[in-house]
Amino acid sequence: MKIFTQIKTLALVAGMMMTTEANATIASNKVSSGDLVISKVFYSASKNASGSGNYIAGQYIEIYNNREEEVEISGMYVALVESESAASAYTQAAIEADADLKSMLGGKIVVKQIFQIPTDKTYTVGAGKSIIICNSAIDHTTGAVTGHDLSGADFEVKTTNAKYPHNDAVPAMTLVYTMTPSLDFMNLSYTGTSSAGVVLLKNNASAVVTAEDKLVYGYNKDKGNLFALVNPYYAIDAVEILGNVKSKGVDATLKRLNDTYDAGIASTTAEGGYNGETVYRKTAFVMADGRKVLYDTNNSSVDFQASATIQPRAFDEEPAGLTEGTITIPATGYLVFRPEKSVFGEKDLTFTYITANAKNSDLAYNEYKGTDELLASSNFIVVGTPGVHKIYYSEAQATKKIPSNALTWSDEDSKEFTSASQKTRIIYKWVDTTEKTGFQRVAKTSEGLYNFATFSGDDRLYLYITPAMAAAFFAANGAGSADDLDFLVWHGTKPDLTGVKTVDAAEKASATGAIYDINGNRVNLMQKGNVYIVDGKKIVK
């Protein structure tokens, strides 16, 4: 278990509360963008159950683990985007119009509050599970027209404001920064022209900027409240939420986050505040084991919708934005597949991509079962039983990253590699026949040069490797040079070819019933996926 120590000094400076940290020991979370997502923001608040007056104590933020493994969350930061005024200096439009301000900010995001998940012990969130952060971890169902039971929340902001009753059993969020001492609760703006943007950041100390000399003033840049900054380089997720103003609607010109972090805007469907609507992520697809993967395109206009009935930790049962299609696996059991969108398929399919680098002694076959992942558009070799299989395209962002895929596709019938480095590289084209499966070396055009290849059909898929990579492959395969290694044999998952199919083949003398491999060596047993010769005929087992 990791133990983190933090000593915090609270000081009131120029009408704001700031927190500095000394001797803090924080280990970086091994979390990437898209692993955790901000799944719900109940910012709009509600009316009192009596129908008279407003109820704001039940606001909350939910964070969901979109991945297939448990994730550690200790020390992560939750920042609320600046929302002082419609005349803010920190809308994207205002920043783009002010070159000096843009340079000063250096791409950082202006925020009014920063909270941190505690570091007193290791906190985690399971695969397909979520955490809830709120101001008041009690049951709000009886006090509000639209209230939620937050008594099982994971973290609570221990505000001094009496409007937010506490639950002593729920761990406290750490207040790192707030723009004014009176706002020691999560100030999720609920109406008007305000923003309720939220940014989730890694627990790297460089993620937040709270030093007094780095703070920035409010909307007219020289007076008013002071705001902190966060470094979006450490952002795990961000959502831009703008108020739906009566008679005006949602004003996109008030957008604070640039398109790199959120290309769209989320909001409620009802106008005004206190409408009881929760802004939440749509379901992208559902795993075979029931785990939901939520929409994530880095565009809140696409990813989110609003509901007055959705409950904490609940999501749509039916996936959104899915298109069903089919693929046909040929008799060999291998299919070259190049989806244009994120995709997943039936559970008996294996999606394979290949990585290679100079440190590898061979190709690395990266394999994912059809329903296990939402895969990015890329070059895949799909392995499965011959026949028609269902696949599903999604508008959502892929959950599985495809790094450094060595498989390349040629849209040209012929390709010449002309640079000095390209001429030394070696090209292997995909081969998939009943006799052999793997990558066939392209003949060199002159001594030491592998710089020209012709393509057709599925042999447009090829590997393009450096001499350093090749040297490792040759040594691993007992060869001395590229000339000695003509073929890279497939050694990933092999298809389950059901039944036995025979085809006419060249005559081969053999004893009746004797079994030979394709090279003419006699064997005792046939194994699935291989080609044999029996009684002068080729047999695919």
Side-chain angles (χ1 to χ4, degrees):
M1 179 178 292
K2 297 176 183 175
I3 302 296
F4 305 106
T5 302
Q6 290 187 311
I7 301 174
K8 298 188 176 294
T9 303
L10 298 178
L12 297 180
V13 181
M16 56 84 201
M17 175 180 284
M18 100 179 226
T19 302
T20 59
E21 302 181 15
N23 302 322
T25 303
I26 301 176
S28 296
N29 298 103
K30 295 179 180 179
V31 178
S32 299
S33 175
D35 291 353
L36 296 175
V37 294
I38 299 162
S39 52
K40 290 193 188 77
V41 182
F42 179 54
Y43 78 101
S44 64
S46 179
K47 295 294 183 181
N48 286 323
S50 64
S52 175
N54 303 319
Y55 191 96
I56 60 174
Q59 294 174 316
Y60 73 90
I61 294 171
E62 183 178 290
I63 298 168
Y64 185 85
N65 181 4
N66 227 13
R67 293 301 306 278
E68 72 276 17
E69 65 269 340
E70 184 179 76
V71 172
E72 182 182 344
I73 57 173
S74 306
M76 287 184 176
Y77 296 97
V78 176
L80 303 187
V81 177
E82 170 275 327
S83 61
E84 185 171 6
S85 167
S88 169
Y90 306 115
T91 64
Q92 279 302 301
I95 292 172
E96 289 299 321
D98 189 333
D100 291 338
L101 176 62
K102 184 175 181 179
S103 176
M104 183 271 291
L105 291 176
K108 294 181 177 64
I109 299 170
V110 181
V111 298
K112 60 184 177 180
Q113 291 182 304
I114 304 171
F115 300 90
Q116 187 179 31
I117 293 173
T119 58
D120 58 323
K121 65 178 185 178
T122 299
Y123 294 95
T124 61
V125 55
K129 304 297 183 182
S130 60
I131 62 166
I132 291 175
I133 302 169
C134 63
N135 288 317
S136 181
I138 65 170
D139 185 353
H140 299 277
T141 56
T142 58
V145 172
T146 304
H148 304 103
D149 184 358
L150 301 181
S151 57
D154 299 272
F155 301 101
E156 183 184 63
V157 177
K158 306 295 185 180
T159 174
T160 58
N161 191 313
K163 294 180 179 179
Y164 302 94
H166 290 172
N167 183 339
D168 293 337
V170 176
M173 290 288 286
T174 301
L175 176 60
V176 175
Y177 183 86
T178 187
M179 65 181 187
T180 183
S182 62
L183 297 179
D184 61 350
F185 53 89
M186 285 195 302
N187 183 225
L188 290 167
S189 301
Y190 45 82
T191 189
T193 57
S194 297
S195 163
V198 182
V199 184
L200 175 66
L201 302 111
K202 296 182 180 182
N203 66 353
N204 190 304
S206 299
V208 300
V209 181
T210 58
E212 182 181 355
D213 61 339
K214 300 294 184 182
L215 301 177
V216 295
Y217 276 105
Y219 65 92
N220 62 1
K221 297 185 290 183
D222 60 5
K223 65 180 182 179
N225 291 320
L226 282 166
F227 296 93
L229 304 172
V230 296
N231 187 344
Y233 175 81
Y234 298 96
I236 299 168
D237 192 33
V239 54
E240 177 93 54
I241 304 174
L242 296 180
N244 189 348
V245 184
K246 289 183 178 179
S247 74
K248 293 182 180 180
V250 180
D251 186 354
T253 66
L254 300 179
K255 184 172 170 56
R256 268 79 164 177
L257 301 180
N258 70 36
D259 288 354
T260 301
Y261 311 110
D262 189 348
I265 299 167
S267 189
T268 58
T269 57
E271 293 182 337
Y274 313 110
N275 56 52
E277 286 190 313
T278 301
V279 173
Y280 75 100
R281 283 188 189 268
K282 298 179 289 186
T283 299
F285 75 105
V286 182
M287 296 288 199
D289 62 2
R291 178 171 66 88
K292 294 181 175 66
V293 174
L294 305 184
Y295 241 69
D296 184 16
T297 67
N298 287 334
N299 184 330
S300 291
S301 301
V302 175
D303 296 342
F304 284 84
Q305 55 193 19
S307 168
T309 59
I310 195 78
Q311 295 299 307
R313 306 189 204 274
F315 296 93
D316 291 333
E317 294 300 320
E318 293 297 324
L322 285 185
T323 302
E324 183 177 309
T326 61
I327 56 174
T328 301
I329 306 288
T332 58
Y334 299 92
L335 173 70
V336 173
F337 184 49
R338 304 174 62 246
E340 296 181 354
K341 298 179 180 179
S342 300
V343 66
F344 64 99
E346 296 177 353
K347 64 182 180 180
D348 59 340
L349 297 176
T350 300
F351 290 79
T352 307
Y353 71 94
I354 296 177
T355 53
N357 60 59
K359 295 180 180 179
N360 290 344
S361 61
D362 210 339
L363 303 176
Y365 287 64
N366 304 271
E367 300 177 333
Y368 300 100
K369 291 297 182 183
T371 54
D372 287 348
E373 303 294 334
L374 184 63
L375 295 160
S377 57
S378 186
N379 293 311
F380 294 104
I381 297 174
V382 183
V383 183
T385 303
V388 179
H389 297 264
K390 287 184 179 180
I391 55 168
Y392 301 90
Y393 297 101
S394 176
E395 301 298 328
Q397 182 173 302
T399 61
K400 180 60 69 177
K401 284 81 178 171
I402 307 295
S404 303
N405 193 348
L407 294 175
T408 305
W409 180 266
S410 175
D411 288 318
E412 305 171 70
D413 294 331
S414 62
K415 183 184 290 286
E416 184 174 11
F417 303 90
T418 57
S419 72
S421 62
Q422 287 175 335
K423 288 181 179 180
T424 63
R425 295 193 181 191
I426 306 168
I427 306 166
Y428 285 86
K429 294 198 298 186
W430 171 248
V431 174
D432 179 22
T433 68
T434 54
E435 288 79 16
K436 58 182 182 181
T437 301
F439 296 92
Q440 182 73 53
R441 196 196 67 210
V442 172
K444 58 187 177 182
T445 56
S446 61
E447 188 62 33
L449 302 182
Y450 297 81
N451 63 337
F452 185 84
T454 59
F455 299 94
S456 64
D458 285 346
D459 75 2
R460 293 178 183 275
L461 190 73
Y462 67 97
L463 295 169
Y464 180 54
I465 62 178
T466 66
M469 296 177 192
F473 297 166
F474 303 151
N477 287 274
S481 69
D483 291 331
D484 298 327
L485 188 58
D486 180 67
F487 190 74
L488 299 174
V489 178
W490 176 270
H491 60 253
T493 293
K494 292 182 170 59
D496 181 14
L497 299 176
T498 57
V500 175
K501 180 178 63 175
T502 62
V503 295
D504 290 333
E507 291 184 2
K508 179 175 177 65
S510 66
T512 302
I515 304 169
Y516 295 83
D517 66 19
I518 196 64
N519 296 315
N521 302 309
R522 187 165 180 172
V523 297
N524 294 321
L525 296 172
M526 291 188 291
Q527 296 181 347
K528 286 185 176 181
N530 293 330
V531 179
Y532 299 91
I533 298 176
V534 181
D535 296 331
K537 292 185 181 294
K538 291 180 182 178
I539 296 178
V540 180
K541 175 63 174 174

